[in-house]
Amino acid sequence: MASSVSQRSEAASGATDQTPRFRLLLVWAVLILGELGLVWRLIYLQVIAAPALRRKADSQQLMSLRPFSARRPIVDRNGNVLAIDQSVHTLYVHPFLFKQSPEGIAAQLAPLLHRSPVDLARLFKTAKSGIPVAYALSDQVADQIKQLRVDGIELNPQRQRLYPQGELAASVVGYVNTEHQGQAGIEYSLQKQLEPLARSAKVSHDGQGFVMPDRVPAGLLHADDRRLQLTLDTRLQRAARTALKQKLAHYRAQRGTVIVMDVQDGSLLALVSEPSYDSNHYSKADPELFKNWALSDLYEPGSTFKPINVAIALETGDIQPESVFYDEGEISVGGWPIHNNASSAPRGLLSVSEILAVSSNVGMVHIMQQVKPSVYYDWLMRLGIGKAVDSDLPFEASGQFKGKEQFTSYPIEPATTAFGQGFSVTPLQMAQLHAVLANGGKLVTPHVVQGLFNQAGQAVWKPSLPTQQIFSPTTTRTVVSMMGNVVEKGTGKPARISGYQLGGKTGTAQKAAGGYYTSARITSFVGIFPLASPRYVVLAVADEPKGEDAYGSTVAAPVVKSVIETLITLEGIPPSKLLEVQGQAKE
Amino acid sequence: MPAATKTETSASHQVLSSDQPELVLPPAMISAEDYSRLTRPQVYATIPVVISPGDPATLFQRLPQPPVATVANRSQPEARHLPKGVLDAPLIGVGAVSTTPHLVPQMRRRKQDVVEALPSSEAPRWLGILTASQRGSTLITLLLGAGVLAIYGWSVYSQRTWSQAYRQLSDLQREERELVAASETRKQQIAQQAESPKAGLVRQVPANIIFLPPETLQPQVQPPPQPPAIGLVSSPMGY
């Protein structure tokens, strides 16, 4: 210091002119250097280190905002919810972050979780971090836990699917697993339509924890209000299930199904398959139940297939509605014996209508012998026998049918096909084939999904459903009136409803196992209602009913009757007598 | 007293009479104009000015002046001792009765002094515009500053309002979900209870339904005249 002072004074005394200038320059140089340093630092921070610094700032300041984006709900025809997402929370605990004693925290959590504090305290000692304590906590409980303000607690928000109807629609709706992916039913086959658009954004919070809107992207808050609407009617489904369960329990049958289909467009009003499972607790169910056996299992239709054969024969012109055939009771075709179900006694001359009414196998063989086997085969292929129905439910099985060579070479093949044995279809396909007769000859696609609708009721997406004309309306009208005769005078008498007219056909087929027909039966009944202008097809199938009196007419027909009665009350269908009276009054 | 002041001067200094111009400036500070003016032969009638001891003019001292050769002195033999150049150089006051002494910065104001006008007080046009624009921009700046504060306050307020509204929205959505779930579960419970035989309910069958044929169109029939109304009932009606 002293030396610099002396230096300065020397300099001052020595060069009085240059010292101020030198000092000035020195100061200027120092300031300029400082400024350059600042400029360099600025460039470094803003340009070179900017990305890394921005990442750091974002990670500190921004949090991701994930509005609750739920999987779209599934509703039935009338808006009753069949599946809806709920917001639940999973509670995790990290004991190493505890500020209080584990026992104290356990005592605080125990009343909210409905567990004993001792259990919880023991649970907290098992690990240092990441202990799952409770699953599927509701929003209120989660809020209460958050208000405790305890360190070391983590609540993860999740979605949980709730099925309010439980077992009722499980065969149609299916279930989702823990990753919220559909595994069965509509949840599986329409996964894409059900999953909402993933929405999330990084947003900043203000001092009080409120979300600041400046970073929220446009459209994030538009709630996804679309829902998948089914064609099911829950009331009819419930009534059908009750009636079916009653009969299945009475005859100790293995399983059963009821299908109610609108013939004009193929929409299914009810699809019941028993036994069923609770979609909310799918883990406790037998995995065999996850596929709907109404469309994934094959069966030999038996006598219910006869009206379709008659329609084929009438359409080709090989028989007339007034044709008459002789029923011998027992015949031999290609070396194979064929006889009627009830007895082998001959019945004499029967008209086509009577053959259907008494369900004569021999009569049907005679009818179908009028049709050339190759023509017969082509008609069956046109109807889609041996192919899948292609509905919007998953895990569908395609029927089995012989090849053309075998069908045309061996006369026994068309003969057994004439009375509905020797090939297999699914119950849903059987309903579709009867809808062909009911709606004037159109092959419609059975479907459960009406479409994706928004809250305004507008359809955002609808499935594409092809139709195809197979028979002429005159043929089908003739066959349907013959089926009306079955119910009036034939085997379908148990299905009669006073004041109403319906057509139907019973079916009792023996199940084949190991190449032989066993004594196990599969009984079915199909009804077409109302007879004058058909609107609905109702099919009931019961697999392996036990007892001597277990036939289609005793097991399945009453089920169809009660389903049609419920249908009448739901839809308000006036009795046919009233319609006749009205028709007469108009004339 | 006039005579007293004049004795302050130094002995070697030639005190001039009072009828000479007395505007004095040190030789380095005199302007050319003034110099030419002063060297012109002029005669002024002067009024003696009294300088009191407190006058600021007394702050200045009179510097000793080199002897100036006057006309009267030229003929004197002392003048020859002057170096050559002295007489060649224009002597202040040569040929004039009046000569100015080198009296340094004692300024004396004279009414006859013409005060030269300063350059025109009208500012050049660009300066006027600049000043006006400065004033205008200051005003605009103040207004903008006030506007900035107002807008900032409004933006903070609107953000707060949005945040509260968003919280309300998510609460409402949550409530809606819970409501739907609760109502659907209740529906299911009611339906299940209705099915159980304890409820005492029977299935609806067509036999229990009344179907009314719709009325056919008929010409308007006059309704029969209404019977007179029954008198007012004083007691409450019940079934």
Side-chain angles (χ1 to χ4, degrees), chain A residues 65 68 80-81 84-86 139-140 143 162 164-165 206 208 210-213 216 221 223 238 242 500 562 565-566 568-569 572-575 578 582, chain B residues 158-160 162-164 166-167 169 173-174 176-178 180-182 184-185 187-189 191-192 195 203-207 209 211-214 216:
Chain A
L65 175 74
F68 181 68
N80 298 314
V81 171
I84 193 163
D85 260 9
Q86 296 227 281
D139 279 335
Q140 289 106 326
D143 277 347
L162 172 71
Q165 308 295 334
D206 72 355
Q208 290 175 322
F210 288 107
V211 172
M212 301 235 297
V216 175
L221 294 181
R238 193 179 294 277
T242 312
Y500 293 87
S562 85
E565 281 175 342
T566 312
I568 290 167
T569 57
I573 301 171
L578 190 68
Q582 276 189 310
Chain B
S158 67
Q159 279 178 348
R160 179 72 55 84
W162 186 95
S163 309
Q164 283 172 348
Y166 178 73
R167 188 165 276 201
L169 173 71
Q173 281 176 342
R174 197 172 97 175
E176 181 200 356
R177 277 196 302 272
E178 286 167 8
V180 166
E184 294 295 329
T185 319
K187 260 195 241 176
Q188 162 79 356
Q189 281 175 351
Q192 266 181 336
E195 275 181 353
R203 206 166 51 89
Q204 233 183 10
V205 287
I209 299 182
F211 283 95
L212 296 171
T216 51

Side-chain angles (χ1 to χ4, degrees), chain A residues 448-526:
Chain A
V448 175
V449 173
Q450 218 162 51
L452 204 60
F453 290 82
N454 61 12
Q455 287 290 0
Q458 297 163 328
V460 174
W461 168 84
K462 274 191 164 169
S464 63
L465 306 160
T467 60
Q468 200 187 355
Q469 188 78 27
I470 309 280
F471 294 130
S472 61
T474 37
T475 312
T476 52
R477 222 176 298 132
T478 317
V479 178
V480 169
S481 60
M482 287 182 193
M483 288 172 75
N485 198 34
V486 172
V487 172
E488 276 296 313
K489 303 194 181 88
T491 50
K493 277 206 208 104
R496 271 183 309 183
I497 301 173
S498 62
Y500 293 87
Q501 286 179 330
L502 61 133
K505 186 73 192 74
T506 55
T508 310
Q510 278 179 308
K511 289 178 74 172
Y516 293 97
Y517 281 104
T518 64
S519 61
R521 300 187 204 125
I522 183 158
T523 57
S524 52
F525 185 84
V526 62

Side-chain angles (χ1 to χ4, degrees), chain B:
Chain B
M1 294 200 302
T5 54
K6 286 198 179 140
T7 55
E8 285 174 22
T9 60
S10 56
S12 62
H13 184 74
Q14 187 92 8
V15 174
L16 297 171
S17 61
S18 57
D19 56 347
Q20 288 168 13
E22 289 170 342
L23 174 65
V24 289
L25 287 168
M29 289 181 353
I30 198 166
S31 67
E33 203 180 1
D34 295 333
Y35 179 77
S36 61
R37 183 160 45 83
L38 288 168
T39 50
R40 262 179 267 134
Q42 281 162 7
V43 177
Y44 300 95
T46 58
I47 298 168
V49 174
V50 178
I51 297 182
S52 60
D55 197 310
T58 57
L59 290 172
F60 299 104
Q61 266 191 355
R62 292 183 184 168
L63 291 174
Q65 295 292 324
V68 176
T70 60
V71 172
N73 293 342
R74 212 171 251 234
S75 57
Q76 289 176 7
E78 300 93 72
R80 291 183 200 122
H81 292 176
L82 287 170
K84 246 201 169 161
V86 172
L87 288 175
D88 294 341
L91 296 170
I92 297 173
V94 167
V97 177
S98 62
T99 52
T100 52
H102 280 268
L103 288 174
V104 183
Q106 185 164 8
M107 284 186 49
R108 298 192 177 194
R109 253 175 278 152
R110 301 186 60 106
K111 274 206 180 139
Q112 283 93 337
D113 283 350
V114 174
V115 178
E116 289 240 354
L118 287 170
S120 159
S121 61
E122 270 183 33
R125 202 149 161 266
W126 59 270
L127 193 61
I129 292 174
L130 198 63
T131 318
S133 60
Q134 190 215 359
R135 263 187 258 129
S137 66
T138 307
L139 182 69
I140 292 173
T141 309
L142 286 173
L143 285 175
L144 285 177
V148 159
L149 287 175
I151 289 176
Y152 174 73
W154 176 74
S155 77
V156 170
Y157 170 72
S158 67
Q159 279 178 348
R160 179 72 55 84
T161 317
W162 186 95
S163 309
Q164 283 172 348
Y166 178 73
R167 188 165 276 201
Q168 224 180 350
L169 173 71
S170 36
D171 284 346
L172 282 173
Q173 281 176 342
R174 197 172 97 175
E175 276 180 24
E176 181 200 356
R177 277 196 302 272
E178 286 167 8
L179 207 61
V180 166
S183 72
E184 294 295 329
T185 319
R186 187 78 194 115
K187 260 195 241 176
Q188 162 79 356
Q189 281 175 351
I190 290 173
Q192 266 181 336
Q193 279 171 4
E195 275 181 353
S196 72
K198 285 190 294 233
L201 301 169
V202 292
R203 206 166 51 89
Q204 233 183 10
V205 287
N208 298 340
I209 299 182
I210 301 172
F211 283 95
L212 296 171
E215 267 201 20
T216 51
L217 284 173
Q218 281 171 9
Q220 278 273 339
V221 176
Q222 289 290 334
Q226 292 284 347
I230 303 169
L232 292 169
V233 186
S234 56
S235 60
M237 281 212 283
Y239 293 96

Side-chain angles (χ1 to χ4, degrees), chain A residues 250-306:
Chain A
H250 186 253
Y251 287 95
R252 297 187 313 277
Q254 215 181 46
R255 53 188 188 178
T257 182
V258 174
I259 300 171
V260 179
M261 191 159 90
D262 182 328
V263 300
Q264 296 304 327
D265 55 10
S267 54
L268 292 167
L269 277 87
L271 180 57
V272 179
S273 50
E274 273 296 309
S276 185
Y277 63 98
D278 191 352
S279 309
N280 292 311
H281 309 290
Y282 63 91
S283 50
K284 300 198 187 96
D286 181 8
E288 279 296 311
L289 301 173
F290 294 157
K291 53 179 175 56
N292 190 347
W293 87 267
L295 36 95
S296 65
D297 280 3
L298 303 168
Y299 80 116
E300 292 191 6
S303 309
T304 46
F305 199 75
K306 287 174 184 168

Side-chain angles (χ1 to χ4, degrees), chain A residues 120-162:
Chain A
L120 286 176
R122 207 176 328 128
L123 188 61
F124 294 165
K125 289 191 177 48
T126 52
K128 274 211 164 298
S129 139
I131 308 174
V133 174
Y135 298 99
L137 296 172
S138 69
D139 279 335
Q140 289 106 326
V141 176
D143 277 347
Q144 285 169 335
I145 293 177
K146 276 183 204 162
Q147 273 163 10
L148 293 176
R149 301 239 183 272
V150 178
D151 283 323
I153 280 183
E154 184 186 337
L155 281 163
N156 277 349
Q158 277 166 350
R159 307 176 290 177
Q160 189 192 46
R161 198 92 163 138
L162 172 71

Side-chain angles (χ1 to χ4, degrees), chain A residues 351-369:
Chain A
S351 69
V352 177
S353 181
E354 282 166 344
I355 289 174
L356 272 184
V358 302
S359 196
S360 156
N361 294 346
V362 175
M364 284 307 302
V365 172
H366 285 311
I367 289 175
M368 296 324 288
Q369 277 170 346

